[in-house]
Amino acid sequence: MKNLSAYALSWIGMAAIAILNGAIREKAYGPFMGELSAHQLSTFIIILLFGAYIWVLTGTYPIESPTQALIIGVMWLVMTVIFEFVFGYFVMGHPWSRLLQDYNLFKGRVWSLVLIWASAAPYLFYRIRSRTAAGMGSVSRSGRR
């Protein structure tokens, strides 16, 4: 599948966005609001940032099929969860209980929405772009259908 390696490498950009987003949360607005509110705002911001980044990626490296889009989403999901636990535990020194707490939706922890979005966005954007391309393909040079 063409472009799959580009999507694997592009995950590094997603990790950089996530680290930068966390640093901004900790330094810029986190001190001025409760931890849960800062977490929720940060989650909303990263969903928007990932959306913009993934939209650019899907324009630069067109996804070829729904299957490829799903593979990319699952690949990003696995890479993100592995990174979060390895980086969080071994680099940041967070205990497992702290790492797992971000998955508790019942306590307002909405990090899971980022994982869902990163997994679903390639498929969603593939569908949007393929519909747009199909619609554009039926327009003649004069602009008439």
Side-chain angles (χ1 to χ4, degrees):
M1 290 186 176
K2 197 168 105 183
N3 293 332
L4 203 53
S5 59
Y7 279 97
L9 288 173
S10 68
W11 177 87
I12 295 169
M14 293 171 68
I17 290 168
I19 292 169
L20 181 62
N21 183 54
I24 291 170
R25 177 188 64 229
E26 295 299 317
K27 301 292 184 200
Y29 58 88
F32 304 104
M33 55 196 323
E35 196 279 329
L36 180 60
S37 296
H39 163 79
Q40 292 169 338
L41 178 58
S42 177
T43 298
F44 176 72
I45 291 169
I46 200 166
I47 286 171
L48 292 177
L49 292 173
F50 276 7
Y53 181 71
I54 295 167
W55 179 256
V56 170
L57 285 175
T58 59
T60 305
Y61 305 105
I63 297 174
E64 299 171 355
S65 68
T67 301
Q68 185 182 32
L70 293 171
I71 289 169
I72 292 165
V74 169
M75 176 177 63
W76 283 349
L77 172 67
V78 170
M79 292 171 80
T80 301
V81 171
I82 290 171
F83 174 79
E84 179 170 351
F85 285 101
V86 169
F87 183 81
Y89 185 77
F90 292 105
V91 177
M92 299 300 293
H94 297 310
W96 293 112
S97 59
R98 170 144 187 237
L99 296 172
L100 291 170
Q101 89 178 12
D102 280 336
Y103 293 87
N104 191 341
L105 287 170
F106 298 111
K107 290 191 176 182
R109 309 303 291 189
V110 292
W111 169 250
S112 298
L113 298 177
V114 174
L115 299 177
I116 292 167
W117 175 237
S119 301
Y123 181 80
L124 176 67
F125 291 164
Y126 166 77
R127 285 291 180 206
I128 291 169
R129 289 190 181 279
S130 63
R131 284 196 178 118
T132 303
M136 296 291 289
S138 63
V139 176
S140 69
R141 289 180 192 218
S142 66
R144 297 184 186 143
R145 291 183 187 259

